[in-house]
Amino acid sequence: MDDHVGAGPAELLHPVVFAPEFDRGPFAHLEGLPDTVEDLARALAPVAVTGERMLPLLVRLCTEDLAYGVPFDPWTPDRARDVLGRVVDALGPETRWWSNVSYPDRAWASGDYSGDFSSSPVTGYTTDCAVVGIGRYATLTMLAFAES
């Protein structure tokens, strides 16, 4: 039986951020960074978007350096869009999304995440972006981070 069935977004993100092998970043001990599931829950906010509108952000997280906005390997945007599109389809149309980042409403509405965003940090890196999608039968938990 899956231990994460029925888990909320913070419970899904916690094992990623607090995995023993994950280096939380050079500023991991700053006051105010999340230390508990409850802290992570406060850092995450619901995002009212469809999977189609979330897909460009997921692709960006897998193909672009968040700090400098430059492409990085191993995936190209086309390859990431193909793989992540199948993931979003598997999650289903009723997926609920959460993130620690805030984009202007126009970005969420259009799916254009090329501009700046603000965030409630979950790591000690200069820039991080967590996305959690909870579908009917599957979940997606992503964490991208960069140091500038």
Side-chain angles (χ1 to χ4, degrees):
M1 180 168 178
D2 185 351
D3 292 337
H4 297 297
V5 171
E11 289 87 2
L12 294 168
L13 182 59
H14 187 272
V16 175
V17 173
F18 294 99
E21 64 276 6
F22 179 61
D23 176 0
R24 290 191 66 203
F27 308 105
H29 303 291
L30 287 181
E31 190 172 320
L33 279 181
D35 285 327
T36 65
V37 171
E38 293 77 17
D39 292 340
L40 285 175
R42 284 188 286 279
L44 297 173
V47 182
V49 296
T50 64
E52 178 184 4
R53 289 291 178 252
M54 185 59 79
L55 182 58
L57 178 58
L58 300 177
V59 169
R60 180 177 184 218
L61 297 179
C62 290
T63 62
E64 188 176 306
D65 183 288
L66 291 179
Y68 298 104
V70 296
F72 68 85
D73 295 329
W75 283 358
T76 64
D78 287 340
R79 178 67 179 136
R81 192 172 298 103
D82 177 53
V83 171
L84 294 167
R86 286 184 273 147
V87 171
V88 167
D89 288 346
L91 289 170
E94 296 175 11
T95 299
R96 293 169 297 140
W97 297 96
W98 289 263
S99 184
N100 70 320
V101 299
S102 295
Y103 278 97
D105 289 343
R106 70 182 182 291
W108 294 117
S110 69
D112 178 3
Y113 304 106
S114 58
D116 290 332
F117 62 87
S118 61
S119 71
S120 297
V122 296
T123 71
Y125 288 95
T126 304
T127 306
D128 65 34
C129 179
V131 175
V132 177
I134 300 177
R136 186 168 182 184
Y137 300 110
T139 62
L140 169 72
T141 304
M142 290 183 75
L143 175 63
F145 52 90
E147 189 58 42
S148 53

